[in-house]
Amino acid sequence: MSLISNLPARIGAAHSSETKFGKLGSSWAAATRISTPLQDDGFYKLQIAFRNSKKVFKKVSIGMTLLDERPAQIPSREIGKPPGVLAYELVQGSLVRWSSTMDKSAPETPTAVLLHGILGCRKNWGSFARRLAKEFPAWQFLLVDLRCHGDSASMKKQGPHTVSSTALDVLKLVAQLRLTPRVLVGHSFGGKVALSMVDQAAKPLARPVRVWVLDSNPGKVRPGGHRDDHPAELISLLQALPKEVASKHEIVSALIQEGFSNDVAQWVVTNLRPTGPPGTRTSFSWVFNLDGISEMYQSYEATNLWGIVEDVPGGVHVNFLKAERSLHRWALEDIQRIRAAELLAPDEGGAVEMHVLEDAGHWVHADNPDGLFRILSSSFRTLRS
């Protein structure tokens, strides 16, 4: 297995702590990297920042994106200057002999694109992609940081920051890399991005493509009660924080005090990076662009992509995966419309299908990674070269 990235490797001191976000089965347990916090009195300033926030936040529990920051255990090859579209990594199976400079006459390597959710990053899919690459060694898996997220946040993007513009970024990246994706997998916000990629294609795709929309419907976003996730409130809260903080521990403590779970707090601080060189006492700053992310989430709530589902193009197989315990995201009307679309799909290789992942909440690739792997594997077996 090999990994290609358009960014230099980042080296820093870290310690491991396994959490629910990184558990990918007994043989694929991932370790969370959490930098050692600095002990100081800066937490008082954070408390003031929270109190001065104009918004009052109720006790909530948030589930959005799987955390997986295990350092890669596979060789990494750096490929020159970043292209400036999006930061990415390409996890390749052992049989892959692809590079973006290969002759166009060479056989195409089957490629899957994996898209994270709001406030996530490409690392969320790291362990899962490596597992897929081991099981399907002829495939490669493109992991991207969407605009305003992860390492792509430093690549300035013009607004508006929407589902559509985010999808166009990914389309530009795959075109630049001269890839023809055969599978698109998107979690939550990333699911709508995958649908929008299909919607923006100028013509039916050159070969059959399977689209997986994980625990997200194509229309109205329906947050639920106190046990459900409220990304908009979390984003607003993070916007009230200082852009630099003295330690990750401060943020964890402050978020818990505001009613967020420890799991969510630990996940959020993975988006903090030290401002100084490794091994020195330093402050931390947020890696993402919160203003842009806020705009993206508003677009996620408003974007309606039922049209692509109810008139699916030939050669496109759209799969919706509903988490068994994520009932707030799925109204009966949503399920009925998807079931109706299954019957209306054209015969020219187009299809719509509904799946249910048992024993999983919204964090599908953390709550039941083995079940998700079994369901997704059908795409790679069906499209096996």
Side-chain angles (χ1 to χ4, degrees):
M1 214 183 308
S2 64
L3 182 146
I4 297 175
S5 173
N6 64 335
L7 290 164
R10 190 174 290 106
I11 302 173
H15 71 266
S16 295
S17 172
E18 188 174 306
T19 71
K20 67 165 280 189
F21 307 110
K23 292 181 179 177
L24 292 176
S26 58
S27 63
W28 287 91
T32 303
R33 289 192 301 160
I34 305 174
S35 298
T36 305
L38 303 175
Q39 302 299 326
D40 50 47
D41 60 357
F43 178 53
Y44 176 71
K45 296 177 182 177
L46 287 179
Q47 289 178 310
I48 293 176
F50 277 121
R51 292 189 185 118
N52 288 342
S53 176
K54 295 180 180 179
K55 187 172 180 65
V56 177
F57 300 97
K58 299 179 180 179
K59 183 178 179 66
V60 291
S61 176
I62 296 180
M64 278 180 288
T65 311
L66 165 69
L67 163 65
D68 168 23
E69 284 207 324
R70 183 178 65 174
Q73 302 299 318
I74 54 182
S76 177
R77 288 180 281 153
E78 197 175 320
I79 54 173
K81 184 179 179 181
V85 179
L86 292 171
Y88 70 87
E89 292 176 11
L90 197 57
V91 179
Q92 299 179 322
S94 59
L95 300 180
V96 174
R97 298 294 180 267
W98 177 94
S99 77
S100 60
T101 59
M102 285 178 62
D103 191 303
K104 289 184 178 181
S105 63
E108 288 194 30
T109 297
T111 302
V113 179
L114 306 182
L115 305 170
H116 62 77
I118 211 78
L119 286 173
C121 67
R122 68 185 189 275
K123 297 182 190 301
N124 300 159
W125 283 108
S127 287
F128 203 88
R130 289 188 287 273
R131 182 176 182 179
L132 286 169
K134 184 175 182 180
E135 180 70 17
F136 304 102
W139 282 75
Q140 60 186 1
F141 302 86
L142 180 65
L143 285 56
V144 302
D145 282 339
L146 300 177
R147 63 164 56 204
C148 302
H149 291 76
D151 290 311
S152 293
S154 62
M155 300 176 181
K156 302 302 181 183
K157 299 289 183 183
Q158 291 186 342
H161 301 296
T162 63
V163 170
S164 178
S165 62
T166 304
L168 185 58
D169 290 341
V170 183
L171 289 170
K172 288 178 178 178
L173 177 64
V174 297
Q176 184 180 70
L177 294 175
R178 305 197 314 190
L179 297 173
T180 304
R182 298 176 67 182
V183 175
L184 307 176
V185 182
H187 176 240
S188 195
F189 177 87
K192 275 195 175 178
V193 172
L195 285 176
S196 183
M197 288 174 66
V198 175
D199 191 38
Q200 293 186 62
K203 57 184 178 180
L205 300 178
R207 56 171 62 187
V209 61
R210 288 182 177 261
V211 181
W212 287 89
V213 182
L214 305 184
D215 210 39
S216 179
N217 66 62
K220 183 178 180 180
V221 176
R222 297 177 174 88
H226 72 282
R227 291 182 60 82
D228 304 314
D229 58 271
H230 292 263
E233 292 190 11
L234 178 60
I235 293 167
S236 295
L237 191 152
L238 294 176
Q239 287 177 304
L241 294 177
K243 291 185 178 180
E244 288 194 14
V245 297
S247 78
K248 294 185 177 184
H249 177 69
E250 292 178 6
I251 299 294
V252 171
S253 298
L255 289 174
I256 291 174
Q257 192 171 60
E258 288 296 313
F260 294 92
S261 69
N262 180 68
D263 282 344
V264 168
Q266 294 287 355
W267 161 66
V268 166
V269 298
T270 64
N271 287 293
L272 285 170
R273 288 188 182 157
T275 57
T280 63
R281 183 182 178 88
T282 183
S283 60
F284 295 81
S285 62
W286 297 105
V287 67
F288 42 42
N289 173 355
L290 280 170
D291 292 338
I293 288 175
S294 177
E295 190 176 345
M296 291 167 73
Y297 188 76
Q298 292 174 36
S299 172
Y300 173 61
E301 290 186 318
T303 297
N304 186 329
L305 290 166
W306 277 109
I308 195 70
V309 177
E310 295 175 331
D311 187 18
V312 62
V316 178
H317 189 145
V318 179
N319 297 269
F320 289 93
L321 185 139
K322 172 185 172 295
E324 183 182 35
R325 300 197 305 269
S326 192
L327 300 179
H328 67 283
R329 297 182 172 275
W330 299 92
L332 179 60
E333 175 191 354
D334 297 330
I335 297 174
Q336 290 174 337
R337 289 183 74 174
I338 292 174
R339 294 299 187 193
E342 289 180 329
L343 301 175
L344 295 173
D347 295 330
E348 298 83 19
V352 177
E353 193 171 351
M354 184 81 179
H355 309 260
V356 176
L357 181 62
E358 297 179 351
D359 193 26
H362 183 55
W363 305 65
V364 291
H365 37 356
D367 292 343
N368 188 357
D370 292 334
L372 180 64
F373 184 84
R374 284 192 297 271
I375 292 174
L376 293 185
S377 291
S378 63
S379 289
F380 305 104
R381 292 192 178 97
T382 302
L383 297 174
R384 191 191 297 267
S385 293

